[in-house]
Amino acid sequence: MGFGEIAPDRRVRVQGEPVASYPRIAPEVERGAVRRITVVGEEILRRRCREVVEFGTPGLARLIDDMFATNQVAEGAGLAANQIDVDLRVFVWDMTDDWGVRHVGHIVNPVLDEVPADERELVEETEGCLSVPGPYRTVPRLGRAVVRGRDKEGEPLVVEGRGYFARCLQHETDHVNGRLYLDRLARRERKSALREMEEAKEEAFARRAANAAKWGK
């Protein structure tokens, strides 16, 4: 750091808030079960998911635990409920941003804030998807994103992300709206990504199965 610079706050952010300490493996992973991840071509990935109307239920808590466990063994940054064949507006994340800060959390009924045109700053970076196993492609996304929704108990939640975390929030909100990153590509790029997926998916599935076995899942 140069003179006068402030050291970045590297504390883990849980539900958007910094915490004093956090385990290497999220508690939800320990509790959760691994579920099959849906793949592009399955109808559930192409429709807008249903709003959650009941909060604080064992079923919603179990769903979020299972999503964390599934995301962990698949080595993902985030996962939406329709990626494990559940038609609900929920997603989870556990990832590290461009500045080395880890973000962990879940959100229910997410909605992204609209960004005025004069404040839009698009960043082009590579992006992949657990439901499109294998390929990565360059996708323009906003460099800052704010998502609003509720936590599993129904409490209001606002989470802000920048850089890679902003990309994750936008990617997962796309999922619950029935969109994939492939939809943001030109037709030729989309076709090449799908061809690459066909060649790579069996290896990806095998790696996930090996990780699940290692975790006793």
Side-chain angles (χ1 to χ4, degrees), residues 32-44:
V34 173
R35 302 200 199 181
R36 184 187 72 86
I37 296 177
T38 52
V39 179
V40 59
E42 297 186 47
E43 189 270 338
I44 195 169

Side-chain angles (χ1 to χ4, degrees), residues 33-37 59 62-63 66-67 69-70 83-86:
V34 173
R35 302 200 199 181
R36 184 187 72 86
I37 296 177
R62 184 167 58 251
L63 170 65
D66 290 355
M67 291 170 69
T70 304
Q83 291 184 274
I84 57 167
D85 206 27
V86 176

Side-chain angles (χ1 to χ4, degrees), residues 17-117:
E17 298 295 331
V19 296
S21 63
Y22 196 77
R24 185 176 67 87
I25 303 301
E28 293 91 341
V29 173
E30 303 286 359
R31 297 191 299 260
V34 173
R35 302 200 199 181
R36 184 187 72 86
I37 296 177
T38 52
V39 179
V40 59
E42 297 186 47
E43 189 270 338
I44 195 169
L45 293 172
R46 287 304 188 183
R47 65 174 184 259
R48 181 182 174 87
C49 294
R50 294 182 298 112
E51 296 275 325
V52 173
V53 295
E54 294 185 10
F55 295 87
T57 65
L60 183 57
R62 184 167 58 251
L63 170 65
I64 290 168
D65 288 349
D66 290 355
M67 291 170 69
F68 267 97
T70 304
N71 187 58
Q72 175 74 32
V73 302
E75 302 171 340
L79 188 76
N82 57 356
Q83 291 184 274
I84 57 167
D85 206 27
V86 176
D87 181 21
L88 289 174
R89 297 181 66 79
V90 183
F91 70 78
V92 304
W93 63 89
D94 188 344
M95 49 83 64
T96 301
D97 68 19
D98 312 53
W99 299 274
V101 176
R102 182 182 176 193
H103 300 264
V104 184
H106 72 272
I107 192 165
V108 181
N109 299 339
V111 176
L112 284 169
D113 277 5
E114 288 290 335
V115 179

